[in-house]
Amino acid sequence: MKPTYVFLLLACSLFFCFVNPAPKSKWQVIFNGKNLKGWDTYLGRETDENGRAANNTPVGFNIDPRGVYTVVKEDGKPAIRISGETWGALITKQQFQNYHLRLQFKWGKVLWGQKKKANVRGSGVLYHSVGALGADAGFWMRSQEFQVEEGRCGDYWGCAGGSAEIPVVKKDGNNYFYSPQGNMTAFSDGNAQGRHCKKQGTGNEKPVGEWNTLDLYCHGDTSIHVVNGKVAMVLYHNSQSDKGEFTPLIKGKIQLESEGAELFYREIMVQGIEGLPAALLKE
């Protein structure tokens, strides 16, 4: 083929791509606003105000006698109410990979058990959830946690073998905080750093009773936690540990924790992505 033809074909291809870009994936709504279709529930053992269990028998899978997970109207819109009375998770039936998750949450007024005693509201969005129900402390599947807790939204916890590498700075004793300019450090249950890393900055959370927007970006083995438009943390090399052997953890279900505090989730949607927003990786 003559060089002139090659040039013309290349030019036409570039022009076509410019005027006809690859279609962006549409948002998939995963809470229909009517019921919990598309979700499963799991509740662990009942505990007292000190976190002690009366027995080691979980309430179980898709068994919810106390109505921990319900659909309600909150501020004029449908929302999922998680009472927090019994610890466990609301779990998507579907698995996700290479996606952008967006949802809104706000805290309720009710606290239970040890959370009431400590006066701390807590929950979490657990992603790349795989394996056995209740693998973490009897309540949650193996996963990576986007922490949802007063003053700590955006923190990371590795659940039941979930692990990641995060650039951090160490301060305030033995606490590790995400920093884009920090030293890349592995977080995993059993190593010196443990499985918890704190977000950068003071956070961007709104007061109790106001709605917050969480964005989670996952592509390949990297994930980004964003709270009300502000990057809290970037995690690299998401993986899972089994007896010291690490393998990638890059897809799975999404769990919404019940963890001793009433809260509401709404406008839960997922969009497929072909890469991570470059600007977020620099914040």
Side-chain angles (χ1 to χ4, degrees):
M1 186 178 290
K2 293 183 179 180
T4 302
Y5 294 150
V6 173
F7 175 79
L8 288 173
L9 286 171
L10 179 60
C12 288
S13 297
L14 291 172
F15 176 77
F16 181 81
C17 290
F18 178 76
V19 297
N20 294 283
K24 194 172 183 180
S25 175
K26 294 182 179 180
W27 286 106
Q28 174 190 350
V29 175
I30 59 174
F31 165 51
N32 63 21
K34 300 176 182 179
N35 51 45
L36 296 178
K37 183 178 180 180
W39 299 79
D40 290 311
T41 69
Y42 182 78
L43 293 170
R45 62 193 182 275
E46 303 266 1
T47 58
D48 64 17
E49 64 179 13
N50 297 307
R52 291 190 295 261
N55 58 63
N56 288 321
T57 303
V59 176
F61 181 67
N62 286 331
I63 301 171
D64 186 7
R66 298 182 185 272
V68 173
Y69 313 103
T70 54
V71 176
V72 300
K73 275 284 185 72
E74 185 70 16
D75 296 334
K77 292 185 177 182
I80 297 172
R81 176 183 181 262
I82 300 180
S83 74
E85 182 176 3
T86 307
W87 290 27
L90 185 65
I91 311 164
T92 60
K93 293 180 181 290
Q94 185 177 349
Q95 293 193 56
F96 300 94
Q97 182 177 9
N98 295 334
Y99 63 93
H100 172 195
L101 168 70
R102 173 172 289 167
L103 54 78
Q104 294 184 339
F105 88 92
K106 79 165 190 175
W107 296 113
K109 298 178 180 179
V110 183
L111 291 168
W112 304 89
Q114 66 203 89
K115 293 293 184 178
K116 182 177 182 179
K117 187 175 181 179
N119 194 29
V120 175
R121 291 175 172 85
S123 181
V125 176
L126 310 183
Y127 59 99
H128 297 342
S129 303
V130 296
L133 297 165
D136 190 281
F139 305 112
W140 306 295
M141 300 165 67
R142 169 175 291 176
S143 53
Q144 305 289 58
E145 179 170 4
F146 185 143
Q147 174 85 312
V148 178
E149 184 174 306
E150 283 184 282
R152 297 177 180 174
C153 283
D155 280 12
Y156 165 71
W157 285 90
C159 296
S163 307
E165 293 182 17
I166 305 170
V168 297
V169 294
K170 184 179 179 181
K171 54 186 179 180
D172 300 336
N174 200 37
N175 293 312
Y176 295 86
F177 293 80
Y178 168 75
S179 170
Q181 293 77 40
N183 296 318
M184 193 67 77
T185 304
F187 289 85
S188 180
D189 192 22
N191 71 12
Q193 295 75 240
R195 60 189 183 117
H196 177 216
C197 179
K198 297 187 176 183
K199 67 183 186 317
Q200 68 174 338
T202 57
N204 196 34
E205 300 161 42
K206 296 182 180 180
V208 173
E210 295 187 21
W211 290 97
N212 297 267
T213 298
L214 305 182
D215 289 281
L216 168 67
Y217 295 85
C218 299
H219 191 271
D221 63 0
T222 302
S223 56
I224 306 175
H225 299 181
V226 181
V227 180
N228 292 322
K230 181 178 179 181
V231 172
M233 183 178 303
V234 181
L235 295 79
Y236 299 90
H237 304 131
N238 282 293
S239 61
Q240 53 190 324
S241 173
D242 289 290
K243 297 180 179 179
E245 182 178 346
F246 290 85
T247 56
L249 184 57
I250 58 176
K251 65 179 180 180
K253 298 181 178 182
I254 296 165
Q255 303 176 86
L256 303 179
E257 285 186 332
S258 174
E259 195 183 4
E262 178 190 33
L263 79 164
F264 303 87
Y265 286 103
R266 72 181 188 187
E267 298 185 14
I268 309 171
M269 58 191 76
V270 171
Q271 182 183 53
I273 57 175
E274 295 183 356
L276 296 168
L280 297 183
L281 295 171
K282 300 175 183 178
E283 290 187 16

